[in-house]
């Protein structure tokens, strides 16, 4: 079974923890949805987290979708805890950036996206709360392309946004001229097909999309609601179909997790993360002074497939 270590990142109150809860429920890990307001979610287990309804320390939960085990890391949204997010990025293979359809792209969203792009981390964008009054669709797509990345690729449309009956409709698999034109700006084969007046078929477009997502050059965008469950099945499909599985051991700068070690078994990564202080809920002794200040580890050569450098890590700017 393939494994992917996936982080949920967002500005505070975008709905990360609620989305995590919905994903666990949709995949059968839990049989009852918890509530952030009631302090009954799976990943917010600290007393302060339950009382205030916020995530302070990253927490791990796992589920299976198709032939993949997904180790899901729920991270804090408050900018005060951005160091916790930066530590988590060191062990991720991909990320889901959550935005609110009402508030849109917020300052912390832009900061997180800059880090994700600098790391070339494969990323899906999930626009939450489409059933809230004031939810925006077309304007938000334009904002994401202007403020986050020009290669944001919407994978569907929304019906009745801003109403309790809002639904997400994924695009039909087939030839999509707009998508092909967008991808052709970054794929030489697609560009050559357009120049020769030979439009590529649907399979070639899907292949190009997967390749660009894996390279951290294209960002699929989906809409939905963590509370109603709209768009969640499509998000799971995108996680299984578009995000690449772990191509290497998941390195971390914390003690007890060697970057050069062999690929660990499926259940080893969460234990390693707890050792690093990313998800453990007990004593804070596992957090070293270096872990409080270090940013994501640096790769030698700067590419996703290259080996990890032994130089001291620095935070991406």
């Amino acid at each position: 079974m393939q494994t992917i270590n996936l982080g949920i990142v967002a500005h505070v109150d975008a709905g990360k923890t609620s989305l995590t809860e919905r994903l666990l429920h949709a995949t059968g890990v839990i049989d009852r949805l918890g509530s952030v307001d009631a302090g009954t979610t799976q990943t917010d287990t600290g007393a302060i987290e339950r009382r205030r309804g916020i995530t302070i320390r990253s927490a791990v939960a796992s589920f299976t979708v198709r032939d993949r085990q997904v180790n899901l890391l729920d991270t804090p949204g408050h900018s005060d805890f951005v160091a916790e997010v930066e530590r988590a990025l060191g062990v991720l293979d991909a990320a889901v950036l959550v935005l609110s359809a009402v508030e849109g792209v917020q300052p912390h969203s832009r900061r997180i996206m800059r880090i994700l792009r600098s790391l070339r981390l494969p990323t899906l964008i999930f626009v939450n709360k489409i059933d809230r009054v004031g939810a925006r669709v077309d304007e938000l797509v334009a904002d994401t392309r202007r403020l986050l990345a020009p290669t944001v690729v919407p994978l569907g449309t929304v019906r009745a946004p801003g109403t309790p009956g809002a639904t997400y409709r994924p695009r039909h698999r087939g030839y999509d001229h707009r998508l092909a034109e967008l991808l052709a700006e970054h794929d030489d084969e697609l560009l050559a097909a357009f120049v020769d007046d030979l439009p590529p078929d649907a399979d070639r477009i899907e292949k190009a999309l997967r390749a660009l997502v894996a390279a951290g050059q294209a960002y699929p965008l989906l809409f939905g609601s963590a509370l109603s469950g709209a768009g969640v099945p499509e998000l799971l499909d995108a996680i299984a179909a578009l995000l690449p599985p772990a191509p290497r051991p998941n390195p971390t700068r914390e003690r007890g997790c060697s970057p050069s070690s062999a690929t660990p078994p499926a259940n080893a990564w969460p234990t390693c993360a707890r050792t690093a202080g990313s998800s453990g809920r007990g004593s804070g002794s596992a957090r070293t002074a270096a872990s409080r200040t270090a940013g994501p580890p640096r790769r030698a050569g700067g590419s996703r497939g290259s080996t990890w450098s032994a130089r001291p890590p620095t935070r991406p700017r």
Side-chain angles (χ1 to χ4, degrees):
M1 179 178 290
Q2 296 176 337
T3 300
I4 180 171
N5 298 327
L6 180 68
I8 303 285
V9 294
H11 187 93
V12 64
D13 290 335
K16 293 180 294 70
T17 301
S18 296
L19 180 60
T20 299
E21 198 77 4
R22 178 62 70 170
L23 291 171
L24 295 177
H25 183 265
T27 53
V29 175
I30 57 177
D31 56 9
R32 179 179 298 179
L33 286 169
S35 167
V36 173
D37 293 334
T40 56
T41 59
Q42 295 294 306
T43 52
D44 284 346
T45 57
I48 297 178
E49 292 177 318
R50 290 185 180 276
R51 185 170 66 251
R52 300 189 60 184
I54 61 173
T55 300
I56 297 176
R57 299 180 64 185
S58 301
V60 177
S62 297
F63 62 84
T64 301
V65 54
R66 297 188 190 176
D67 61 342
R68 288 188 174 182
Q69 174 175 316
V70 179
N71 296 323
L72 190 67
L73 195 68
D74 182 22
T75 65
H78 281 272
S79 58
D80 293 343
F81 308 124
V82 67
E84 184 80 5
V85 180
E86 291 178 350
R87 280 196 297 273
L89 294 178
V91 298
L92 297 184
D93 302 305
V96 174
L97 174 63
V98 183
L99 304 177
S100 167
V102 180
E103 288 80 13
V105 179
Q106 296 177 280
H108 193 49
S109 309
R110 299 178 66 180
R111 178 177 185 177
I112 293 172
M113 191 62 175
R114 283 197 297 268
I115 298 174
L116 295 174
R117 293 184 68 182
S118 70
L119 294 175
R120 293 288 182 91
L121 203 64
T123 302
L124 303 176
I125 300 175
F126 184 82
V127 178
N128 192 23
K129 304 182 181 181
I130 61 171
D131 51 357
R132 284 264 308 275
V133 175
R136 299 173 297 132
V137 176
D138 294 338
E139 299 93 333
L140 187 51
V141 171
D143 286 346
T144 58
R145 288 175 172 165
R146 178 172 57 90
L147 299 174
L148 297 183
T151 50
V152 169
V153 182
L155 297 185
T157 58
V158 179
R159 273 188 168 182
T163 69
T167 57
Y168 174 71
R169 298 184 63 186
R171 65 183 178 88
H172 294 292
R173 181 179 173 84
Y175 179 70
D176 187 323
H177 185 72
R178 286 186 178 182
L179 177 59
E181 283 189 336
L182 180 62
L183 298 180
E185 297 179 10
H186 303 274
D187 187 289
D188 291 341
E189 289 186 23
L190 288 183
L191 181 60
F194 278 106
V195 171
D196 296 337
D197 200 22
L198 297 171
D201 59 22
D203 290 338
R204 181 65 189 84
I205 294 174
E206 294 294 328
K207 180 180 178 182
L209 178 59
R210 287 194 298 270
L212 290 173
V213 171
Q217 294 179 302
Y219 304 94
L221 182 147
L222 303 91
F223 287 86
S225 170
L227 293 182
S228 71
V232 171
E234 290 76 17
L235 176 59
L236 287 169
D237 287 342
I239 290 172
L242 296 179
L243 296 180
R248 51 172 173 73
N250 289 286
T252 173
R253 56 198 168 279
E254 307 289 352
R255 290 184 293 183
C257 304
S258 171
S260 60
S261 61
T263 303
N267 63 349
W269 177 76
T271 303
C272 182
R274 284 195 294 272
T275 303
S278 295
S279 63
R281 300 296 176 177
S283 170
S285 60
R287 291 167 167 248
T288 63
S291 74
R292 295 190 186 97
T293 57
R298 298 172 62 182
R299 294 190 182 101
S303 65
R304 178 166 176 77
S306 56
T307 57
W308 290 83
S309 170
R311 292 175 294 173
T314 58
R315 292 184 181 178
R317 298 185 181 274

